[in-house]
Amino acid sequence: MHLTLNLPTPETSLKSMAGCDLWLKRDDLIHPIVSGNKWRKLVGFVEQLPPSATVLTFGGAHSNHLAAAATCLQTQGHQGIFIIRGDELNPKSSPALHHCQAAGMHLIFISRTSFRQLREQHWQPSTRQQQAWQLPQDYQLLAEGGSGPHNSQGCQALWQELEQAGRPDHLWLAAGTGGTARGLLRAMPHDCPTHITLVSAVKGSHREAAQTQALADDKQIKLTWIDETYFGGFAKTNAQLQQAQLAFEAATGILLDPVYNAKVWWHLSQQPRPQQGKIVWLHTGGFRPQLIPEKI
Ligand SMILES: Cc1ncc(COP(=O)(O)O)c(C=O)c1O
């Protein structure tokens, strides 16, 4: 792949802010668009694609996944057919969609009901959809959020980096589908004493939580899943959260996305008692339109 990537990513100490041995693993620095968990999740998928493949993938108007997938596919000369949730939208509806179109991806807008049905059928399009979307015989399916067994490759490398920098006693990260967390759990050794805390950006994702917990139980790894019951659900915010994000950014000069990482910071900063030992917060990046250079 011909992307310029900043790997391995560094860990920055936040001890003076947090009052405990907290480190931020700067996966947001990997690439301006294919940043954070997007690279970790996509690398295993993109590297196994045959030349000039057609990839079918899915997402919402502000999807970090779609923006990252568009950059990866464009860089490697693949085609992308992107199914977008919301038939009222168009390529100008968001910077993410605009970026996908500019990268040469074919955007198809469908109703929220049809999108939900696709999710329920594990993203397998019906024969009618395959014809309407003009899919070739041998297209490659990539689930929403880029989650899947291929996540293991990038997460394996991530776990190795974490171990090499000194294995954390606690690892905090944001969760959406939980795919990144499950990739990490698969990479971690059985009985690993690192306790994982997941801050879900989605309210009530019980299926994802149960799936992730089952994997942790299987590997005898301690896991805590925090549901998004504090701010009202996905992409919801309030003045308290915004203040915490602005204060963090002002103190550190490190930007947070409001949907995922700002909420992790809020929970970390609200801990009644600091956790013992080395705590690592994985910065999972996020699509920041103002950071996109003219040419990638
Ligand atoms: C910036 C960011 N952090 C975290 C996540 C959650 O990742 P996962 O779906 O693997 O749990 C996402 C997913 O879309 C994301 O864009």
Side-chain angles (χ1 to χ4, degrees), residues 37-38 41 64-65 145 147 174-181 257 260-261 284-286:
N37 67 338
K38 296 304 157 228
K41 289 172 85 172
N64 294 325
H65 159 65
S147 291
T177 62
T180 312
D257 73 291
Y260 292 97
N261 289 286
T284 50

Side-chain angles (χ1 to χ4, degrees), residues 221-279:
I221 294 171
K222 226 169 148 194
L223 182 122
T224 304
W225 180 287
I226 302 177
D227 197 9
E228 213 300 49
T229 51
Y230 296 82
F231 303 102
F234 186 71
K236 296 283 192 317
T237 186
N238 65 18
Q240 228 186 346
L241 179 66
Q242 286 162 5
Q243 268 167 20
Q245 176 176 349
L246 287 177
F248 177 87
E249 292 180 345
T252 60
I254 299 169
L255 299 176
L256 301 177
D257 73 291
V259 176
Y260 292 97
N261 289 286
K263 290 181 180 177
V264 179
W265 169 241
W266 190 84
H267 281 282
L268 270 166
S269 61
Q270 296 296 311
Q271 289 291 295
R273 272 176 290 113
Q275 289 174 320
Q276 297 301 305
K278 181 180 183 185
I279 309 156

Side-chain angles (χ1 to χ4, degrees), residues 23-202:
W23 295 79
L24 184 62
K25 169 87 171 148
R26 299 292 312 278
D27 267 17
D28 56 310
L29 297 177
I30 292 178
H31 183 271
I33 302 170
V34 197
S35 85
N37 67 338
K38 296 304 157 228
W39 169 253
R40 305 292 189 182
K41 289 172 85 172
L42 284 173
V43 57
F45 178 82
V46 177
E47 286 193 356
Q48 54 79 40
L49 286 175
S52 306
T54 297
V55 173
L56 177 70
T57 192
F58 312 84
H62 302 282
S63 168
N64 294 325
H65 159 65
L66 291 185
T71 298
C72 285
L73 298 179
Q74 180 192 30
T75 312
Q76 287 216 324
H78 299 301
Q79 314 295 317
I81 298 178
F82 287 9
I83 307 302
I84 316 296
R85 183 179 58 234
D87 49 7
E88 76 286 8
L89 303 173
N90 66 61
K92 293 199 180 109
S93 298
S94 73
L97 294 182
H98 181 76
H99 168 75
C100 292
Q101 194 188 43
M105 304 297 118
H106 180 40
L107 308 188
I108 297 174
F109 299 87
I110 65 169
S111 71
R112 284 152 208 276
T113 309
S114 303
F115 197 90
R116 221 174 7 253
Q117 278 163 0
L118 272 165
R119 184 183 286 137
E120 276 158 19
Q121 60 206 44
H122 303 287
W123 309 108
Q124 287 295 338
S126 64
T127 312
R128 198 175 51 75
Q129 285 169 326
Q130 288 178 34
Q131 283 163 358
W133 301 342
Q134 298 182 347
L135 293 176
Q137 279 289 319
D138 53 352
Y139 68 90
Q140 314 280 321
L141 194 68
L142 179 60
E144 184 187 28
S147 291
H150 55 265
N151 296 161
S152 296
Q153 183 177 329
C155 289
Q156 184 85 42
L158 169 59
W159 178 251
Q160 274 166 12
E161 286 178 33
L162 285 164
E163 273 198 316
Q164 271 160 20
R167 186 187 58 73
D169 297 293
H170 294 272
L171 179 60
W172 284 67
L173 64 146
T177 62
T180 312
R182 289 191 293 279
L184 270 167
L185 281 164
R186 286 193 194 95
M188 292 163 74
H190 233 268
D191 286 318
C192 180
T194 300
H195 177 172
I196 298 191
T197 302
L198 299 172
V199 178
S200 177
V202 184

